[in-house]
Amino acid sequence: MIATMVLVLIVLIILGTLFDGYFIVRTREAAILERLGKFQKVAHAGLHFKLPWVDRVRDKISLQVRQLDVMVETKTKDNVFVQIPVAVQYEVVEGREREAYYMLSNHEQQIVAYVQDNVRSSVANMDLDDSFSSKDTIARNVAASLRDNMAEYGWNFVNTLVTDIRPDSRVRESMNSINAAQREREAAVAQAEAEKIRVVKEAEGAAEAKKLQGRGVADQRKEIVEGIAQQYEMLRDAGVEESPEALMLVSQYLDAMVDVSHNGQASVLYMPSNPQGMGDLFGGMRDVLMANRALDSAEGSSQRRRPQPKKPSRAEEIEREATATSQRAEQQRSEQSKQPQQGPDSSAQPQAAREYFQQLRDQLKSED
């Protein structure tokens, strides 16, 4: 019985020794091996053997890049309290696992202390607006501080990120109000400029339209005048010698009535319904035309009667010729009165001269 118990104990010791004589380290890990409480070595990935019951694996350290999130609350230069989240990415330097494990009792706590100290010293010299635009500067200062102070402990800092700057909620609302007011002002200025451009362009377009409209009206009137002249010549060529303008005016009057009936605002037009009324209407048109022609003739004759110093008119020549003839006839008559009478034919010549002068005066009056 005792022998059996001893045998079982020996078997257990052998099995324990076998299982305690090796250990396995995973990839991107490092095992701290101690012998009787003293640091022995650092074992990396793979299968390793150790002395049973003497050596032991104290701990395993991860060699992967880790991230530590730190929230720092501080005050800016313009006395605004802000919260700044900082993300620190770090790893153990391969080959310096002993320093990283034994020299720092709590490496995360010490990293947080360095981050808070550096962030507070950097932000204290900045205004709130400057802190928003200087996040990269803050991150570089924190990373430099950590590398300088933690490098001797076997830690490597891959990257340091300042992910946000969070002021108080009331401060955020005030900043949003300021930004909203500035953007509304810029929008109002832009809208006013757009309205100004629109008004100017509309005015330029209206001016150009009026210019083109005036040019069109002028061209239209020119074409109308040329058309009337062509119609007048056509009527002349067709043998309408007596007042062709009256016929043109009547046709234009009828065309105007048709156009008014189609395009006018009134729905009823009052026109003469009997031939006498139409005759009076056309007679009035003819009278107006004849009066215009008489006025034009009178103006033309008055212009023709104006004295011209270089070339006398035909009436003046006839008048001067009649006066000279009358003087000669008077002179002859006086001479004949002094001489003795010679017979019945002596008075025939003065009588013929008077008739001639009378005909000349009648001709002058008829020409006037």
Side-chain angles (χ1 to χ4, degrees), residues 54-102:
V54 177
D55 296 339
R56 73 183 185 93
V57 177
R58 173 68 182 272
D59 201 355
K60 291 182 180 180
I61 302 174
S62 175
L63 300 180
Q64 295 177 339
V65 177
R66 289 176 276 183
Q67 178 170 315
L68 179 64
D69 295 324
V70 183
M71 180 65 69
V72 182
E73 185 174 3
T74 183
K75 184 178 72 171
T76 61
K77 187 178 181 180
D78 50 355
N79 297 324
V80 178
F81 285 91
V82 293
Q83 291 182 345
I84 303 177
V86 181
V88 180
Q89 298 174 353
Y90 64 100
E91 64 181 354
V92 177
V93 179
E94 191 170 355
R96 302 191 62 186
E97 295 85 353
R98 178 181 179 181
E99 292 85 349
Y101 185 78
Y102 287 104

Side-chain angles (χ1 to χ4, degrees), residues 5 10 36 42 56 82 106 160 204 218 224 236 250 261 343 349 367:
M5 293 178 62
I10 292 173
L36 299 177
V42 176
R56 73 183 185 93
V82 293
N106 191 340
T160 303
E204 292 177 354
I224 290 173
R236 288 286 189 184
V250 170
S261 65
Q349 292 180 353
E367 289 180 357

Side-chain angles (χ1 to χ4, degrees), residues 342-362:
Q342 295 179 359
D345 293 335
S346 60
S347 62
Q349 292 180 353
Q351 184 66 27
R354 283 195 295 272
E355 291 177 357
Y356 175 73
F357 295 148
Q358 185 65 34
Q359 290 178 0
L360 287 177
R361 291 189 180 91
D362 294 338

